[in-house]
Amino acid sequence: MAEKRTRLDIIGDMLLAVANKGGRIKPTHLMYKSNMSHRQMKSYLEELVEKSFVKRTSKDNCKYILMTEKGYNFVNKLLEIKEFEKTFGL
Amino acid sequence: MLVPASIPNWFQGKDAIIDFVSIFVLVLVSYFSVKYYKIKKNKNNLSLTLAFSLLIASFTFKILITLGIYYNFLGMSHLGFGKLTISNFRSLDTFVFLMYFTYRIITLFGLYHLYRIYKPQSKSCFFLASYLMVVSTFFAHYANFIFHLSAFVILLLITLHSIERYKKKKYPSTKLLIYSFGLITISQLFYTMMEIGMVYYIIAEFVQLFGYVGLLLTFIAVLIHGGKKNETRYHW
């Protein structure tokens, strides 16, 4: 059975989902891509916006979530940590 | 008893430089491990730092002993590295004896702590292993090779575990780590033979150097591959 995701894992999954969509994603897509409920996503999204990892925007009546430079840096840091842990078996 | 003169002049002091390189690599990895812990709160990162910190401390003691021998601090010049035995202990300051004892015990505990990250041990196993490490450190005063043999066994277990992990997951950086740990393990085997001739001590030092350079390369590979996108997509 897969291990329960930590808070940081969920944040990482969300940021990766945005990054993989070229830095811009619709909230519903983000919810599906990061395997979350609507309520969960709302709370995590608030945190990401608060920490300036993403920002909300809208275009042609559609709501989008945009990745910031800080968000990209954080994703890269998380990938680095993951690689470190995989390599050293931590 | 072998005296420092057995070590060729060209190599004297070089061993301390090699140990400095090892310390540098261990400090670098430990620094990043703590940095990663602050973000992810993975306790294994702290354990790795603790294990590496113990090894840093042991290398520091080793350097002090080596320099003590070469520059004759506290009348150590008549000793060869790793040559302090109970028979010649009487003529030496207790301080020197403690330096050797601390160097050896810290090394073994550092390596054992590293092993415990991969194979968590029960409290009773920990106490048993600790007892055996203290005993082997004590007997190393009679025969230095016992200490290196103990270090070799622990390192071998760590390397074998890394091989097992590599077979399961196939991470390229783990392969590099296996080479590094493998070389460090082999270096201990050469240290055990330094009673036969100091040439083995020199070989061991160089093998150890390659091992730690390998560890540095492994870490550089982590930094390079960690932040790299795979086919324009980000992956865990």
Side-chain angles (χ1 to χ4, degrees):
Chain A
M1 205 175 90
E3 270 178 46
K4 195 181 168 209
R5 288 190 296 175
T6 63
R7 191 172 179 76
L8 200 69
D9 287 334
I10 295 172
I11 287 174
D13 285 343
M14 287 176 78
L15 290 175
L16 280 180
V18 188
N20 284 330
K21 275 281 178 182
R24 196 179 76 162
I25 195 169
K26 285 182 181 173
T28 331
H29 288 176
L30 178 61
M31 192 174 81
Y32 295 142
K33 294 268 177 195
S34 45
N35 294 316
M36 297 165 84
S37 68
H38 182 260
R39 219 176 75 181
Q40 252 186 325
M41 196 197 67
K42 222 175 142 189
S43 122
Y44 277 100
L45 197 56
E46 282 303 320
E47 191 179 333
L48 293 185
V49 172
E50 207 174 283
K51 287 181 174 162
S52 307
F53 290 150
V54 294
K55 56 184 178 189
R56 290 193 180 95
T57 181
S58 57
K59 197 180 171 188
D60 306 329
N61 282 338
C62 283
K63 282 182 183 172
Y64 286 101
I65 289 150
L66 268 183
M67 181 89 111
T68 62
E69 192 60 39
K70 199 178 167 191
Y72 274 115
N73 289 339
F74 193 67
V75 167
N76 286 332
K77 188 53 76 189
L78 287 181
L79 289 170
E80 194 181 296
I81 294 173
K82 206 82 178 175
E83 184 76 14
F84 183 80
E85 290 178 351
K86 281 194 302 191
T87 303
F88 285 87
L90 304 177
Chain B
M1 191 183 83
L2 288 165
V3 291
S6 324
I7 299 174
N9 281 338
W10 66 268
F11 191 70
Q12 290 196 7
K14 302 278 191 302
D15 43 0
I17 295 169
I18 289 170
D19 292 336
F20 267 121
V21 174
S22 311
I23 288 178
F24 168 76
V25 176
L26 291 168
V27 167
L28 189 75
V29 178
S30 301
Y31 168 75
F32 275 87
S33 192
V34 169
K35 217 172 123 183
Y36 296 155
Y37 169 75
K38 283 181 184 167
I39 297 172
K40 214 172 165 199
K41 308 282 178 225
N42 178 353
K43 281 185 183 166
N44 281 341
N45 278 322
L46 273 193
S47 294
L48 184 79
T49 306
L50 177 63
F52 280 10
S53 301
L54 286 169
L55 293 177
I56 291 165
S58 83
F59 274 121
T60 309
F61 273 99
K62 190 182 167 196
I63 289 170
L64 289 175
I65 294 167
T66 313
L67 294 180
I69 291 166
Y70 293 144
Y71 297 104
N72 195 20
F73 299 147
L74 307 159
M76 290 167 77
S77 66
H78 66 289
L79 289 168
F81 185 78
K83 294 280 129 193
L84 178 67
T85 62
I86 291 294
S87 57
N88 58 31
F89 169 60
R90 276 174 234 114
S91 62
L92 279 169
D93 193 31
T94 315
F95 178 67
V96 182
F97 170 79
L98 283 176
M99 293 257 285
Y100 265 96
F101 189 86
T102 314
Y103 153 64
R104 286 169 176 150
I105 198 78
I106 290 179
T107 306
L108 293 182
F109 267 98
L111 294 175
Y112 179 63
H113 194 73
L114 191 61
Y115 175 67
R116 281 176 69 201
I117 298 173
Y118 302 124
K119 296 268 177 186
Q121 313 273 295
S122 64
K123 272 185 187 170
S124 53
C125 270
F126 173 74
F127 282 117
L128 179 66
S130 302
Y131 167 73
L132 291 174
M133 284 189 290
V134 171
V135 168
S136 84
T137 304
F138 177 77
F139 280 106
H141 290 298
Y142 293 99
N144 182 50
F145 78 90
I146 291 174
F147 158 67
H148 293 291
L149 203 61
S150 307
F152 169 77
V153 169
I154 304 173
L155 276 162
L156 186 68
L157 290 172
I158 295 170
T159 310
L160 289 175
H161 181 269
S162 301
I163 292 171
E164 230 172 79
R165 206 154 32 82
Y166 175 72
K167 279 182 183 168
K168 276 186 201 159
K169 313 262 178 173
K170 301 274 180 201
Y171 295 133
S173 323
T174 309
K175 199 175 183 180
L176 259 177
L177 189 74
I178 291 169
Y179 291 135
S180 317
F181 279 149
L183 282 170
I184 298 168
T185 307
I186 292 167
S187 77
Q188 292 301 321
L189 214 52
F190 282 112
Y191 281 122
T192 60
M193 293 188 276
M194 72 187 193
E195 307 277 335
I196 304 166
M198 277 320 223
V199 66
Y200 292 108
Y201 173 71
I202 296 169
I203 295 170
E205 285 285 317
F206 277 110
V207 175
Q208 181 196 288
L209 175 68
F210 292 132
Y212 279 97
V213 168
L215 194 61
L216 180 65
L217 293 176
T218 308
F219 184 65
I220 292 170
V222 166
L223 293 184
I224 292 171
H225 293 130
K228 205 167 140 185
K229 281 190 286 181
N230 187 0
E231 293 162 2
T232 72
R233 280 180 71 83
Y234 288 87
H235 290 278
W236 278 138

